Amino acid sequence: MKIFEGTMILTDLDGTYLADDHHISAENRAAAEWFMENGGRFSIATGRSKAGMEHFFPELRINAPAILYNGSVIYDFEKQADVLDLCVGENGFRLCRALEERFPEAGIEVYAGHRPYVAQDSAHTRRHFANVKMSWNPCPAADIPQPWLNLVVTGEGTVLSAVSAFIQQRFPGQFFVQYSSAHMLEIMRHDANKGAAAKHLWELLGIAPERVYVAGDGPNDVQLLRCARHSCAPADACPEILSIARHILPEHRQHAIAALIRGIEKGSLL
């Protein structure tokens, strides 16, 4: 039996697996390759879209389906097919129109059929598309095809705070809302998040919960870390993540995932 047989790692990308230059360090890449060659299942749990993930191939190699859109989709890149999708659908369209009317200063991104659209423009949305290497794709909300996977609202902190309160008041119980950065608010179906998707994935693969290691650094990783016994965070993660992580790794720029794999090998992460 290979030493990592029956063990799975699910890691966030930005601020965890990726270095500051948005590339995978040689140390992290070599460790992940070694982990997979020795029986481990390795994949990603990210807020990025399918297109945003594909930007990293072939530098990025995984051997299990990936969690995308912060848990709205589990996608099998080998089979080029969804394993699970939890769409906001028509409810998302109604929310989008309400946000356009109430918050004309906010950017609104819609992800439908694994394609990103811009329903409402903003400087923050333009920066986001540039940062994740996605093609600029403006489109009126009424012309964006269903099913919609999720929405991303961008703007200043005061605007996003007001958006979050508006959604809770006008659309109670319909959506799961979380920050993925200071200027980005993710809006998903009420039962979609990284943690719920992680549980579905390890059950699908037949991995025992006690053999699952998850890693993340930001507010959108809270449910991911809370779902697993072996919750891991780089030492430079946000305070909320550091407060709930069971295992603290070196900072992400110091090859945190390589350190995680060494810890699993040595049995020091119990």
Side-chain angles (χ1 to χ4, degrees):
M1 179 177 176
K2 295 182 177 180
I3 59 173
F4 297 121
E5 195 84 38
T7 301
M8 182 168 71
I9 294 174
L10 280 171
T11 177
D12 178 45
L13 273 175
D14 299 277
T16 307
Y17 192 43
L18 298 182
D20 289 339
D21 62 359
H22 298 291
H23 288 279
I24 303 166
S25 71
E27 290 85 352
N28 275 345
R29 186 167 57 250
E33 291 280 355
W34 180 68
F35 177 77
M36 290 184 280
E37 288 167 3
N38 285 278
R41 303 300 295 267
F42 184 84
S43 195
I44 303 298
T46 180
R48 289 179 180 259
S49 65
K50 174 177 174 284
M53 270 278 287
E54 287 172 336
H55 169 72
F56 296 100
F57 297 144
E59 179 185 11
L60 171 65
R61 195 170 83 81
I62 57 178
N63 65 350
I67 296 169
L68 308 178
Y69 309 96
N70 280 316
S72 292
V73 172
I74 300 176
Y75 189 78
D76 190 325
F77 281 93
E78 181 179 356
K79 296 179 180 178
Q80 293 287 298
D82 289 356
V83 174
L84 173 74
D85 56 72
L86 301 172
C87 301
V88 295
E90 293 290 346
N91 286 343
F93 171 72
R94 287 187 283 272
L95 171 61
C96 181
R97 297 308 298 266
L99 293 177
E100 288 175 326
E101 180 179 346
R102 177 66 178 81
F103 301 97
E105 71 275 36
I108 304 175
E109 305 169 19
V110 176
Y111 295 83
H114 294 299
R115 187 177 183 189
Y117 297 84
V118 179
Q120 187 160 282
D121 192 0
S122 81
H124 288 294
T125 286
R126 287 184 177 271
R127 282 195 289 271
H128 179 222
F129 268 63
N131 287 340
V132 298
K133 313 294 185 186
M134 291 190 301
S135 298
W136 187 249
N137 188 23
C139 186
D143 294 336
I144 300 174
Q146 289 288 348
W148 289 15
L149 296 174
N150 73 337
L151 292 84
V152 175
V153 179
T154 66
E156 296 300 322
T158 53
V159 173
L160 296 188
S161 179
V163 167
S164 180
F166 175 80
I167 294 171
Q168 292 177 21
Q169 181 180 15
R170 287 279 301 273
F171 299 87
Q174 294 185 33
F175 301 101
F176 178 73
V177 180
Q178 66 180 8
Y179 285 89
S180 56
S181 76
H183 299 292
M184 291 179 59
L185 199 65
E186 306 268 353
I187 302 167
M188 296 166 288
R189 205 171 86 173
H190 67 92
D191 54 350
N193 61 71
K194 285 187 181 183
K199 289 180 180 178
H200 183 93
L201 181 55
W202 79 56
E203 289 172 359
L204 177 70
L205 297 176
I207 307 290
E210 63 271 17
R211 301 290 300 278
V212 177
Y213 293 78
V214 300
D217 72 300
N220 61 332
D221 296 311
V222 169
Q223 284 72 30
L224 179 66
L225 266 67
R226 284 181 172 162
C227 83
R229 173 181 174 180
H230 293 295
S231 55
C232 310
D236 54 341
C238 75
E240 184 177 13
I241 288 292
L242 291 174
S243 72
I244 61 177
R246 181 171 182 170
H247 309 297
I248 304 301
L249 307 170
E251 293 186 1
H252 77 282
R253 60 182 60 88
Q254 296 174 339
H255 324 300
I257 299 305
L260 167 58
I261 292 168
R262 289 194 300 270
I264 297 173
E265 179 200 10
K266 296 176 181 177
S268 59
L269 302 181
L270 302 175

